[in-house]
Each structure stands twice: as C-alpha cells, then as structure tokens.
Amino acid sequence: MMKTIIIHATVLTVNNTNEVIYDGAIAFENGVLTYVGPTPEELDTYGEVIDAQGRIVMPGLVNTHGHTGMSLLRGYADDLPLQEWLETKMWPLEAQFTEEHVRWGTSLSIVEMLKTGTTTFVDMYDHMDIVAELTVASGMRARLCRGVIGLCPPEEQTRKLEEASAFAAKWNGAANGRVMTMMAPHGAYTCPPDYIERIVARAHELDLPVHIHMSETEWEVQQNVNDYGTRPVEHLEKLGVFNRPTLVAHAVHLTDEELDTLAKYDVKVSHNPISNLKLGSGIARVPDMMERGICVSLGTDSSASNNNLDLFEEMKMVALLHKGHRQNPVLVPATEALRMATIYGAEAVFMEDRIGSLEVGKQADFIILDSGRVFFHPSHDPISHVVYAASGRDVKDVFVQGVQLVKDGRCLTMDEEAVIENANRMFARLEKK
Amino acid sequence: MMKTIIIHATVLTVNNTNEVIYDGAIAFENGVLTYVGPTPEELDTYGEVIDAQGRIVMPGLVNTHGHTGMSLLRGYADDLPLQEWLETKMWPLEAQFTEEHVRWGTSLSIVEMLKTGTTTFVDMYDHMDIVAELTVASGMRARLCRGVIGLCPPEEQTRKLEEASAFAAKWNGAANGRVMTMMAPHGAYTCPPDYIERIVARAHELDLPVHIHMSETEWEVQQNVNDYGTRPVEHLEKLGVFNRPTLVAHAVHLTDEELDTLAKYDVKVSHNPISNLKLGSGIARVPDMMERGICVSLGTDSSASNNNLDLFEEMKMVALLHKGHRQNPVLVPATEALRMATIYGAEAVFMEDRIGSLEVGKQADFIILDSGRVFFHPSHDPISHVVYAASGRDVKDVFVQGVQLVKDGRCLTMDEEAVIENANRMFARLEKK
C-alpha cells in the first residue's frame, strides 16, 4: 500500500494532552499512522497527498452500545411507557425478524454511522453472522456480540450459548482485526444467575470481554432486589461477571457503593444519554463516575430509542445534560466529551492500543469535517466547535485502517439507495397491530 | 407574482389536527398560501411547478429567543461558572462591539438560521438598526427589540429608552410586515422597577409586546427576593408587565403559583433547553406549563451558550429532556415538540394569524427537507423523524413570504463566504485577556 498524507488540516489528536495541531498533517501506510505533526515541507515520499485546508481531522468516533438491526423500527413507536413500548411494539415486530430484516436494518445503521463519523461500533443483537459480514464488507470496525436472553427452557439456553460462543470464536480478529467479539448476557433481569455464570465461564475460555445491559431503569433495579435480594451491581459482582473485562450499557441507577464497585473492577460504562432520556429511564451519574476514574464512553442505543445513530449528538448531550441537571456549568467539559466519544470509547471496547486517538503506530481510523461551514466560525476553538456546534452531517470523509469509506459525504462501500429501498421493503412486510 | 405549486411532497401542515398529507401539495401567490392538499391533477394554472417527490414540506421554524450578534463569540468560552463566563469573557468583549461586530455576528447567525430551517427569529440586542437591515436584506422574518439594561444613570436610561422606542416605532411592520418589533427591558435584575414601568408604558403607547429574560437562574430569583421581597413573576406582575402581551425567555425556576400567574395572563414562554443546560441554569418545568395551557415555544439563545442556532436540536431536546428528567416517556410527545418549534413559536411572537402552520391564507413561510437521507427511513412516521432523527443540516430549501432564500442548501440572499471571512476578521480584532 502506498504512503498517504493529509496536509494543512486542523488535527485534533485526542492524545494525552488533547493536542490540537494547526496546519497539521497525518500520514499512514498499510493502515497504520506513520506521522502526526505539522505539515512537513518535504512531501515527495508520499504516493498520495490530500489537501485538507480549512478542515478538521480527528479520530473516528466509537459507538459503544447499540442494536443495529433495530434501525428498521426507527420512528415506529415513540412517546410510550417503556413496558407498553416493548411489549406491544418492539417485541412483536422483532419476533418476526429474519436474517433479511437484520441485513437491511444493520445496513441502514452502517450507512448512517459511517456518514456521521462513527468508525467503530458495538452491536449486541441476533443473526450476528449477518452483522459481521456487513461490517467486513462495509470496511467498518466493530466489537460484536450475540445478545442472549435466558428466559427460556434449558435446551434453548444451551443452544443460544453455543451459538453465541461459536459466533464469538469464529469472528474474533477477522478482517485484519477489524472485527472483534464479546460474550453478552442480555441483562440480569433477562438471564437467570446460573446462565450468566455459564456465559461468563465461556468468556473466560474464549478470553473475551463481557457486554451486558445494567441498571437502565429503576424498575429493573427493584426487580433485581425482589428476585435476588441485591441490587444489580452486587448481583453481577457475585456472579463473577466483573472478573472479566466488562462493558456495561446504561448504568443509570447506581448508589455510591455501586459506583465504587465499578471503579474497583475497572468496569467500562457505555453512557446512552439520548436513549435514557427518550425512554424516560433517567439521568446517569456521569460526573460521579468521572470523579472515580470510571471509563465513561458513549452509545446511541438503537435507532428505535434515539432515533438516529449520530454520535455527535451524544457528544453534545453528555456535555450539556449533566451541567443542567446538577446546575453546574463546569461539569463534563468539551475535552472530556470528545474523549468519551473517541479514546474512552476505544478503552471501553478494549482497543485503546489501536484506535481512539491520532498517534503514530495506531490504526488510521479517522474522519474529516467540513469546518468551512458556518457552524465552525469564528474558528477560535475547534474542540468546542466539534462538541457544541457540529453535527455528524458535517463529516465529509471517513477512513478506517487507511481505507477511505466515505468520500465527500458519499458512502463508497455501501449502496445507500439500495439500502434505503430494501429497509423500507422489509419494514413494510412486518405485521403491525 | 406568478402562482407556484410544490407537488408530490409529504406535507406536515401543523394545523389543528397535525395533519400529514402524503403526495401533498402547497401553492402560493403573492407570498400567501392559496392551496394545501393532495397533489392536484390540474397544474396548468401554475406558472412554476416544483416537484418535491420524497421530500418533507413543513412550516419554517420560529426561534423565539436569541442575541444574533453574539455568534461572533461562538466557542470563545465554555464550561465556566456563569458569573465568570459573563464577567471575564462575554461582557469585556461585548463592550468592544461596534456596529460592524453586530453586522457580521448577526450575518453569521442569519446564514446559520436560514440554512437550518428557521424562517422567523426573535432578537434582543444592541445596534438593532443593523439587525433590522440585515433581516430585510436576507428575506427573513423577525420580531426585533433593543434590549435595555437599566443599571446606569437616569439620563442614560432615558437615552436607551428613547433609542429602543425609536427603533421599535420605525421598524414595526417594515418589509411588507416581515419585521415586527417589541419593547425589551433586559430583566428584573438589570432594570430598576421604575425603569421597567417606563418601558412598559412605552409599549402601551406603541401598542407593542414586551420581551424580557425571567427566572433563568436560582441566583437571579434569590436576588429578586433579596432586592424586592418577591420572586420575579410577582414582581413583574406588580409592575404591570403582564398587562401587555409578553414573551418571557427561560422561565426555568418557577413555583406552582408563578406558573398559575403566567397562565392567567397568557404570558408566552421561550424555552431555551440547550442554553439552560450549558450554562448550568437548570431544567424548566415544561410539562407543568403544558398542563396549564401555557404557550411554550423554543429558543436557541445565543451561539455563545448553545453553540449553534439549529432549532431542530431544540426540538429534539425538548422532546427528550423532560421525559428523562421526570422519568416519564409520554411527556412532550413529538407532535407537541413540532408545534413548539412552529405554531406555538408563532403564537409566542404574536404572529399566529400569519405563520406557524401551512394553511390557506397564511404566509408562504416553509422549508423543504431532504428526507431521502438515511435518517428518514423506514419512512413510517414523518413527524417522528423530523423531531427525533432530523438535523437542520437536512434542510434543502427555504421560502419566506413565497420568496426562495435557500436553494439546495445554498443561501441565495447572503454571501456565506464573505460572512464567514468578515466574522473571523471582526472576532480577531477583539481584545482578549
């Protein structure tokens, strides 16, 4: 592969000092960054030189929680009580999902994520071979897991566990490391304790992290107390979940002691502020997590509860929400929001050695924003503008492992029109009440 | 003027039943809507036929609170305590503002608002002749007011009052009614009681509404109690403010009794959720306002505390924030969020007879969204998609009074490049510490 260099850009490195390089450059070869610094005078050694004058170059975003197939249900049902939403709307339609539904729902999600600057995503769903194939084909990077719900007879539990393990073993490290996997008990309220233990044992065998929904709603926490006599964190701790590297989604309703436990085990959090608001789940204690050094990353959850996958919206939301909720405007500053969407996201998916910042030796996963737009002026503070003023719609170019996937806003690896047409076709086929 | 018709669109009328017309059309002549309904077979009577197949046509958005000149300070200072932000960052720079600063700050705001689908805006600032001239030149619609701060000697108070009155009298009804005005005491904490009374008397004389900041922070409420022995609502009621049609900005910290008073006087509220979060002011009691039938509209406040003027973000935020804060997902449904950004906005600026919905006889102020984008699919529920999935960046075309101001994302009435260049030039000239 030839050496490529992007020059004359405003480079947000998101390195340890959040360094911004004006008139900066990044170069890469074989998918790996070989230079990050000022635009060099000597460019003869590069096979390709891309002029990014007046544009912002930054790490691709990492979306640490979602269910990509569910984009097929975007806007199908909003503004309903959670249980009614699940029981009368989501579950009856999801029960009809075939591989073809997941194929087009996930394709819709991938196009959307790519076009709004997400380069790495977490997916917890069913029919995951399809998701892995689409990830490979699209050029994205992902940490994938077959989410298993254990409210079923033992033989079905076993079948699901074997399916999840086979998927995880087969795909981990695929596509030059772009696809990695996890084991995923869906949640403490959907998996009996012994089933969670079996899944965790399998994660130990396969040496994989665990991903699980946790403490999303007060109802769920109370349910756990009723069923098991403990709140979810202590329950999962006792089941040994946190002895594996773990990424928990939501983590909205936590006590001080639970926060301390998460910090003690270095459990990673996927904070999904928009989904938590939309479903009326509540507001997570993010400032308290930050104070304890807990790794807080950002997730969109699915488009059914968001209703898009533009992680720039989460970045702005996390910077706004906790300031207002606590009436303290210094909480979650822009630099931390940016880190949550990039390097902390990389940590949350256990890839911080490879992605999440623009540093020599890391993978060339980066995005270019059209910062010529009015939202980015006066061009005083690019980090502020990226967090508070930008939209994923401002992303023009996307690269993963040095391969360009989006060019001037157009997705190169997916046929967007066909995806939209097929998503509508598959949605129309679902039987609605 | 010739008759124009837009056909084959998904039309969100925002009429009394929130009617959506699929394969719909709107026609207009001399700036007034003459038809809203299904696409007619007979098109011969129209001089211009625009095919909007696969696009959403909806009323232009109404931004009911802002300070457009302050876009010049976008991203200059974030994540600071409010008083430090004001005293060390905003005020020292604003004190240096000349007409030229306001000209380019406001131009930046106008370009941004137009490109993101706002057709009517409220501005409370200084050097308002410039703002009015730019409003006229840009083709936008506005309700403008010279915001007066009364913490100054009597002669300066009088000078400001005369300036505000002269501005209001001169511009009200200008440009075929596109420019309307108000009288604006800045706030109860920045204007002595007798000065507020003088401003209100002038509003009576000129038969104009009043616009005022109110109860934005707890500090401000406490200050009012300390200074005058009452909370702001009772204070302003006693001063006779609410005997004029009144639009209050923020209204975050209110008691039940204060809410009842606002309802009693039909005071309109400009809810600025993003600014209130960013400055750590708090979360307004919007569901309680809705319950009392108070007109809640949406405002961005300035780009210095937002940091953009994309009212689609406010629309999504109001639909999300109160659900999460109250842990109740049925609050502020999508239809109400849409109404807040359109017809309730029109009511808040006392123009509901002319704008805010697409109905025959109203002004042809409308926007067209590129709903072919991935965010709008499956194309199940356009109102849900507009509120929860769209961005102002999806706006392609903007019309005010039947005149096209934005075409395929490009602003026809303002030179965007020159605006950006001049905004940067004027910002660079400001002395910073």
Side-chain angles (χ1 to χ4, degrees):
Chain A
M1 205 183 235
M2 70 180 164
K3 287 171 78 171
T4 302
I5 188 164
I6 319 270
I7 58 171
H8 298 318
T10 298
V11 178
L12 310 192
T13 62
V14 198
N15 66 11
N16 283 340
T17 60
N18 294 314
E19 186 185 5
V20 176
I21 308 169
Y22 295 93
D23 193 10
I26 65 170
F28 53 93
E29 190 176 3
N30 296 320
V32 175
L33 291 170
T34 55
Y35 177 80
V36 177
T39 297
E41 301 223 340
E42 184 54 72
L43 297 169
D44 290 352
T45 56
Y46 296 99
E48 188 181 18
V49 178
I50 298 172
D51 190 339
Q53 178 76 48
R55 301 206 161 178
I56 290 173
V57 172
M58 58 180 282
L61 305 186
V62 184
N63 184 346
T64 62
H65 185 66
H67 313 283
T68 60
M70 289 180 78
S71 283
L72 215 58
L73 304 184
R74 187 204 320 269
Y76 168 58
D78 307 297
D79 310 328
L80 293 172
L82 184 63
Q83 288 307 310
E84 185 182 341
W85 179 72
L86 285 172
E87 289 170 22
T88 73
K89 299 290 181 177
M90 293 296 114
W91 292 345
L93 265 68
E94 285 184 282
Q96 303 170 48
F97 271 25
T98 63
E99 284 195 352
E100 280 305 285
H101 292 94
V102 172
R103 179 181 305 284
W104 296 112
T106 295
S107 296
L108 199 64
S109 294
I110 285 178
V111 171
E112 192 182 342
M113 287 191 285
L114 275 177
K115 291 183 73 158
T116 53
T118 290
T119 51
T120 299
F121 69 103
V122 167
D123 201 11
M124 180 206 277
Y125 211 55
D126 197 0
H127 303 296
M128 292 303 295
D129 283 314
I130 302 288
V131 179
E133 286 165 19
L134 287 166
T135 304
V136 173
S138 68
M140 282 191 84
R141 189 184 297 278
R143 179 70 89 167
L144 306 176
C145 48
R146 200 285 195 215
V148 290
I149 292 180
L151 305 173
C152 51
E155 53 274 25
E156 199 181 333
Q157 284 186 351
T158 299
R159 185 190 61 72
K160 285 181 175 177
L161 174 57
E162 294 307 325
E163 186 186 304
S165 310
F167 169 79
K170 175 181 172 190
W171 287 99
N172 197 45
N176 198 23
R178 280 196 289 112
V179 177
M180 306 288 284
T181 60
M182 293 187 279
M183 294 297 290
H186 174 275
Y189 65 107
T190 50
C191 292
D194 65 317
Y195 192 46
I196 291 178
E197 287 176 324
R198 287 171 67 197
I199 299 169
V200 171
R202 199 60 67 92
H204 277 295
E205 282 168 42
L206 297 169
D207 193 21
L208 288 172
V210 171
H211 185 34
I212 187 166
H213 292 106
M214 190 189 76
S215 305
E216 181 177 4
T217 64
E218 281 192 344
W219 170 88
E220 176 196 331
V221 172
Q222 194 51 52
Q223 189 80 2
N224 210 90
V225 171
N226 295 347
D227 290 353
Y228 307 117
T230 59
R231 294 171 62 93
V233 171
E234 187 183 341
H235 180 66
L236 295 180
E237 182 189 17
K238 282 183 178 164
L239 295 174
V241 173
F242 303 148
N243 296 323
R244 291 299 314 158
T246 302
L247 169 63
V248 296
H250 304 303
V252 178
H253 299 280
L254 300 177
T255 62
D256 286 349
E257 294 67 32
E258 288 179 296
L259 287 168
D260 292 340
T261 301
L262 296 185
K264 176 180 152 196
Y265 287 95
D266 194 18
V267 170
K268 319 295 184 186
V269 170
S270 178
H271 175 42
N272 296 190
I274 292 179
S275 175
N276 295 158
L277 291 173
K278 184 160 189 285
L279 297 176
S281 304
I283 297 172
R285 298 177 56 185
V286 167
D288 303 320
M289 294 178 188
M290 293 169 71
E291 217 169 64
R292 285 166 173 81
I294 294 171
C295 172
V296 180
S297 64
L298 298 175
T300 53
D301 211 352
S302 89
S303 278
S305 61
N306 189 303
N307 290 347
N308 67 44
L309 304 180
D310 180 351
L311 207 70
F312 280 85
E313 292 190 4
E314 263 68 23
M315 198 163 27
K316 182 166 182 173
M317 183 62 89
V318 73
L320 292 173
L321 181 59
H322 307 286
K323 291 178 171 71
H325 185 228
R326 304 263 180 121
Q327 296 189 36
N328 181 355
V330 308
L331 296 175
V332 196
T335 47
E336 283 298 295
L338 175 63
R339 294 182 76 82
M340 288 179 187
T342 54
I343 187 66
Y344 299 160
E347 288 175 25
V349 298
F350 311 100
M351 298 185 187
E352 70 274 19
D353 55 331
R354 276 172 295 158
I355 60 167
S357 60
L358 299 180
E359 296 177 272
V360 170
K362 281 203 172 180
Q363 300 276 294
D365 289 19
F366 63 93
I367 62 179
I368 307 182
L369 303 189
D370 181 7
S371 45
R373 293 190 181 191
V374 70
F375 315 101
F376 294 85
H377 294 278
S379 58
H380 173 68
D381 180 346
I383 292 180
S384 166
H385 290 346
V386 160
V387 172
Y388 289 120
S391 155
R393 270 74 158 183
D394 300 329
V395 172
K396 299 294 278 185
D397 302 287
V398 176
F399 292 74
V400 171
Q401 238 172 30
V403 177
Q404 185 156 17
L405 307 181
V406 174
K407 186 171 186 172
D408 203 23
R410 202 165 48 80
C411 193
L412 302 177
T413 52
M414 307 280 286
D415 181 343
E416 184 171 351
E417 274 184 38
V419 166
I420 288 174
E421 191 186 314
N422 279 292
N424 277 296
R425 183 176 57 84
M426 295 309 294
F427 177 75
R429 277 198 201 167
L430 293 168
E431 256 184 71
K432 294 134 205 146
K433 280 183 189 168
Chain B
M1 204 182 236
M2 71 180 163
K3 288 173 77 172
T4 302
I5 188 163
I6 318 270
I7 60 171
H8 299 318
T10 298
V11 178
L12 311 191
T13 63
V14 199
N15 66 12
N16 284 339
T17 61
N18 294 313
E19 186 185 3
V20 176
I21 308 169
Y22 295 93
D23 194 10
I26 65 169
F28 53 94
E29 189 177 3
N30 294 322
V32 175
L33 292 170
T34 54
Y35 177 80
V36 178
T39 297
E41 301 222 338
E42 185 54 71
L43 298 169
D44 290 352
T45 56
Y46 296 98
E48 187 182 20
V49 178
I50 298 172
D51 190 338
Q53 178 76 48
R55 300 205 161 178
I56 290 173
V57 173
M58 59 181 282
L61 306 186
V62 183
N63 184 345
T64 63
H65 184 66
H67 313 283
T68 60
M70 290 181 76
S71 282
L72 215 58
L73 304 184
R74 187 204 319 270
Y76 168 59
D78 307 298
D79 309 329
L80 293 173
L82 183 64
Q83 288 308 312
E84 185 182 341
W85 179 72
L86 285 172
E87 291 169 20
T88 73
K89 299 289 181 178
M90 293 297 114
W91 292 345
L93 266 69
E94 286 185 282
Q96 303 170 49
F97 271 25
T98 63
E99 284 195 352
E100 280 305 285
H101 292 94
V102 172
R103 179 182 306 283
W104 296 112
T106 294
S107 295
L108 198 65
S109 293
I110 285 178
V111 171
E112 191 182 342
M113 287 190 285
L114 275 178
K115 291 183 73 158
T116 53
T118 290
T119 51
T120 298
F121 70 104
V122 166
D123 200 12
M124 180 207 277
Y125 210 56
D126 196 359
H127 303 295
M128 292 302 295
D129 283 314
I130 302 288
V131 178
E133 286 165 20
L134 287 166
T135 305
V136 174
S138 69
M140 282 191 85
R141 190 184 296 279
R143 178 71 89 168
L144 306 176
C145 48
R146 200 284 196 214
V148 290
I149 293 181
L151 305 173
C152 51
E155 54 273 27
E156 199 181 334
Q157 285 186 352
T158 299
R159 184 191 61 73
K160 283 181 177 177
L161 174 57
E162 294 308 324
E163 186 186 305
S165 310
F167 169 79
K170 175 182 173 189
W171 288 99
N172 197 46
N176 198 22
R178 280 196 289 110
V179 177
M180 305 289 282
T181 60
M182 292 188 281
M183 293 299 288
H186 175 276
Y189 65 108
T190 50
C191 292
D194 66 316
Y195 192 47
I196 292 179
E197 286 176 325
R198 288 172 66 198
I199 299 168
V200 170
R202 200 60 67 91
H204 277 296
E205 282 168 42
L206 296 168
D207 194 21
L208 289 172
V210 171
H211 186 33
I212 187 167
H213 292 104
M214 191 190 76
S215 305
E216 181 176 4
T217 65
E218 281 192 345
W219 171 88
E220 175 195 331
V221 172
Q222 195 50 52
Q223 189 79 1
N224 211 91
V225 172
N226 294 347
D227 290 351
Y228 307 116
T230 59
R231 294 171 61 92
V233 172
E234 189 184 340
H235 179 66
L236 295 180
E237 183 189 17
K238 283 183 178 165
L239 295 175
V241 173
F242 303 148
N243 295 324
R244 292 299 316 157
T246 302
L247 169 62
V248 295
H250 304 303
V252 177
H253 299 280
L254 300 177
T255 62
D256 286 349
E257 293 67 33
E258 287 179 296
L259 287 168
D260 292 340
T261 301
L262 297 185
K264 177 180 151 196
Y265 287 96
D266 194 18
V267 170
K268 319 295 184 186
V269 170
S270 178
H271 175 43
N272 297 191
I274 292 179
S275 175
N276 295 158
L277 290 174
K278 184 159 189 287
L279 297 176
S281 304
I283 297 173
R285 296 177 58 185
V286 167
D288 303 320
M289 293 177 189
M290 293 169 71
E291 218 169 63
R292 285 165 173 81
I294 294 171
C295 172
V296 179
S297 64
L298 298 175
T300 53
D301 211 351
S302 89
S303 277
S305 61
N306 188 304
N307 291 349
N308 67 43
L309 303 180
D310 181 350
L311 206 72
F312 280 85
E313 291 190 5
E314 263 67 25
M315 198 163 29
K316 182 165 181 174
M317 182 62 89
V318 73
L320 292 173
L321 181 60
H322 307 285
K323 290 177 171 72
H325 185 225
R326 304 264 179 119
Q327 297 189 35
N328 181 354
V330 309
L331 297 175
V332 196
T335 46
E336 284 297 296
L338 175 62
R339 295 182 76 81
M340 288 180 187
T342 54
I343 187 66
Y344 298 160
E347 289 175 24
V349 298
F350 311 101
M351 298 185 187
E352 70 274 18
D353 56 329
R354 278 172 291 158
I355 60 167
S357 61
L358 299 180
E359 297 177 271
V360 170
K362 281 204 172 179
Q363 299 275 295
D365 288 19
F366 64 91
I367 62 179
I368 307 182
L369 302 188
D370 180 7
S371 46
R373 294 191 181 191
V374 70
F375 316 101
F376 294 85
H377 295 277
S379 58
H380 172 67
D381 180 346
I383 291 180
S384 166
H385 290 346
V386 161
V387 172
Y388 290 121
S391 156
R393 269 75 157 182
D394 301 328
V395 172
K396 299 294 279 185
D397 302 288
V398 176
F399 292 74
V400 172
Q401 237 173 31
V403 177
Q404 185 155 17
L405 307 181
V406 174
K407 186 170 185 172
D408 203 24
R410 202 165 49 81
C411 194
L412 301 177
T413 51
M414 305 280 287
D415 180 343
E416 185 171 350
E417 274 184 39
V419 167
I420 288 174
E421 192 186 313
N422 281 293
N424 277 296
R425 183 175 59 82
M426 295 308 294
F427 177 75
R429 277 198 203 168
L430 294 168
E431 255 183 71
K432 294 135 205 145
K433 282 182 190 169

